[in-house]
Amino acid sequence: MTNGPVVLRTGLDAKGNAMATKLTEVLEAIARDAAVRDGLAFLERDAARTLDEQKALTQIPAPPFKEQARAAHFRDLLAAAGIADVHVDAEGNVIGVRRGSGGPTLLLSAHIDTVFPEGTDLTITEKDGRLCAPGIRDDSRGLAAVLSVARACTAVKAVTVGDVWFVGTVGEEGLGNLRGVRALFRDHPNIDGFISIDGGDMGRITLGATGSRRFRVSYQGPGGHSFGAFGLPSAVHAMGRAIAQIADLETPAEPKTTFNVGRVRGGTGATAIAEDAVMDIDVRSNSGAELQRIAAIVLDIVEQSARQENTRWNSDQLHIAVEEIGDRPAGAQSADLPIVRTAVAALAALGIEQIQYGASSTDCNIPISLGIPAIAIPGGGKSGGNHALTEWYDPRMSHLGPQAAFLTMLALAGVQQVSEPTLARRDKA
Ligand SMILES: [Zn+2]
């Protein structure tokens, strides 16, 4: 922790500079508080235990819709960290609460699920100080960081103005389609702010929500012998027509908008006109309007591909079915929002001045789309290979993650007799 001079960020208007200065002062006041200093020291001492818990959580499989075992372990650890009312909600989220004296409600969260299917080898290997295992960072690190912050709050008897909820969500990855965080915001309209500990290296703040829509398109045709029945429409040929057109789509670099046919299967062999074919398509954008535009084009291409294949063979026997398998809203937030500025000031208090703003698909998509301030911040350490079997995590200086989350949380929720919350209570009218 450094108590350096007040740093004014450049390129801000007078109002922005005033807010940055005020938040820097708030963070300095918090960081001077004896209990908070004890908390920061506690978090550094707690790093080894936090890493052990991160490893243990990684070893418990948590594929989409099968998070129960890891959720139960996280629930037990959260209760052991001294958090009250720890329970699992109807959707499968783990929730525990530290009550304040009447202020904003802030969630400090990480996701329980991983992208990896059942049966994935989760053995952790270690090389040159790096830990390697599927899911070792995403998001075991976030869960471990939430637990460490919870322990620090208990250890120093932190008294916040607002309520802080410590949360583990289900369904963040893939087909989970954000089901956990959707349930949270559906069932609790009183939430004022949301922090997800889920991200890469220190200094990155995710404040944009990359939206996505995912489709599974199934083609069904008559099938037949490739020679004897030649002249019938083919499910694979029709799908190929669609893929060729999708592959040629042009999308803007800004706001970043992408498309991908990620998985195909179909047919039975070289000598059979394919009776069926299925593909999974993902389109994403940092802009909601661009997302809907590109999704509509893709769906149109898919419809046309079936028509074209039928027309080619003067047939009506080829049919398609489109199933929407994912829909995550997009959204943008200003870097001037108090939740973002507070996180920046907390990082500065820890000596981290290099800030990188980003957009991605996280649990924050839901609150951002609802107009509720939300950021994703890293859990400390370095990492790479997310969503790959080669995912790795380097725990050097990892305590900075929980420390940044702790300071950001305290500033947002406010510390009794030290600082007012920087997070506003929303008008729930
Ligand atoms: Zn994640």
Side-chain angles (χ1 to χ4, degrees):
M1 183 180 62
T2 56
N3 273 328
V6 173
V7 178
L8 289 180
R9 294 188 172 269
T10 52
L12 302 176
D13 59 15
K15 201 169 140 241
N17 274 324
M19 197 210 292
T21 308
K22 183 175 161 271
L23 287 175
T24 304
E25 283 164 2
V26 167
L27 261 299
E28 285 178 348
I30 289 173
R32 267 197 307 273
D33 181 70
V36 175
R37 280 211 308 272
D38 288 349
L40 292 171
F42 174 93
L43 287 167
E44 192 162 354
R45 290 197 307 277
D46 199 50
R49 176 176 179 177
T50 303
L51 186 62
D52 284 343
E53 290 183 348
Q54 179 181 345
K55 290 186 197 168
L57 285 159
T58 303
Q59 308 277 265
I60 306 170
F65 299 99
K66 291 183 176 157
E67 299 105 332
Q68 293 87 343
R70 188 181 287 191
H73 186 58
F74 179 71
R75 176 200 63 204
D76 293 348
L77 291 172
L78 194 55
I83 302 301
D85 305 332
V86 179
H87 64 283
V88 179
D89 74 5
E91 194 68 42
N93 300 305
V94 178
I95 303 172
V97 179
R98 265 187 81 85
R99 296 214 182 281
S101 55
T105 297
L106 174 69
L107 268 59
L108 186 66
S109 177
H111 67 86
I112 297 168
D113 57 318
T114 71
V115 288
F116 301 100
E118 253 177 328
T120 303
D121 182 359
L122 301 175
T123 308
I124 300 172
T125 58
E126 199 164 344
K127 197 177 171 225
D128 305 327
R130 278 183 178 185
L131 304 170
C132 187
I136 184 71
R137 201 294 289 156
D138 190 6
D139 195 20
S140 300
R141 180 62 201 171
L143 293 171
V146 168
L147 292 168
S148 190
V149 173
R151 271 195 295 277
C153 289
T154 302
V156 304
K157 302 186 174 64
V159 275
T160 51
V161 180
D163 289 355
V164 178
W165 295 21
F166 294 86
V167 177
T169 61
V170 291
E172 195 269 349
E173 302 282 8
L175 296 178
N177 202 27
L178 306 180
R179 67 187 179 96
V181 73
R182 278 181 215 270
L184 279 177
F185 284 89
R186 181 191 64 220
D187 298 345
H188 307 283
N190 58 324
I191 301 168
D192 298 295
F194 183 82
I195 298 173
S196 176
I197 304 184
D198 183 13
D201 298 346
M202 290 304 295
R204 182 178 164 93
I205 299 176
T206 302
L207 50 78
T210 303
S212 63
R213 293 185 68 188
R214 291 170 198 162
F215 305 101
R216 177 161 296 155
V217 182
S218 310
Y219 292 79
Q220 198 74 44
H225 194 279
S226 62
F227 193 71
F230 184 66
L232 291 174
S234 155
V236 164
H237 290 197
M239 192 166 82
R241 292 174 188 277
I243 294 171
Q245 289 182 67
I246 291 169
D248 274 339
L249 286 175
E250 298 284 349
T251 53
E254 205 50 59
K256 186 172 177 181
T257 303
T258 64
F259 54 82
N260 183 48
V261 179
R263 180 166 177 257
V264 297
R265 60 196 152 81
T268 48
T271 59
I273 297 167
E275 204 171 326
D276 55 29
V278 183
M279 63 176 165
D280 289 352
I281 307 171
D282 168 77
V283 295
R284 297 190 186 216
S285 180
N286 289 336
S287 141
E290 236 0 270
L291 177 66
Q292 301 316 333
R293 194 182 72 84
I294 192 83
I297 293 172
V298 165
L299 291 173
D300 192 48
I301 287 173
V302 164
E303 295 282 345
Q304 279 177 36
S305 67
R307 260 203 311 275
Q308 288 161 351
E309 179 67 10
N310 274 329
T311 303
R312 168 72 176 83
W313 301 108
N314 197 19
S315 171
D316 59 1
Q317 293 187 76
L318 186 92
H319 304 282
I320 56 163
V322 179
E323 183 192 352
E324 180 140 22
I325 54 175
D327 181 8
R328 299 167 182 234
Q333 294 180 123
S334 164
D336 286 342
L337 275 186
I339 195 168
V340 181
R341 287 287 176 79
T342 300
V344 170
L347 288 167
L350 294 168
I352 299 163
E353 301 277 352
Q354 289 266 29
I355 305 296
Q356 195 200 340
Y357 297 114
S360 93
S361 177
T362 68
D363 271 344
C364 296
N365 284 46
I366 295 302
I368 291 172
S369 73
L370 296 171
I372 300 170
I375 50 172
I377 55 175
K382 285 190 181 312
S383 60
N386 273 2
H387 293 193
L389 295 173
T390 52
E391 186 171 335
W392 59 266
Y393 180 74
D394 182 338
R396 272 166 277 204
M397 300 295 284
S398 63
H399 62 277
L400 287 172
Q403 284 182 337
F406 180 64
L407 286 178
T408 305
M409 176 207 85
L410 292 175
L412 287 167
V415 181
Q416 287 179 34
Q417 265 131 40
V418 177
S419 69
E420 291 291 310
T422 65
L423 182 67
R425 293 181 85 158
R426 289 185 308 123
D427 181 5
K428 281 133 197 161

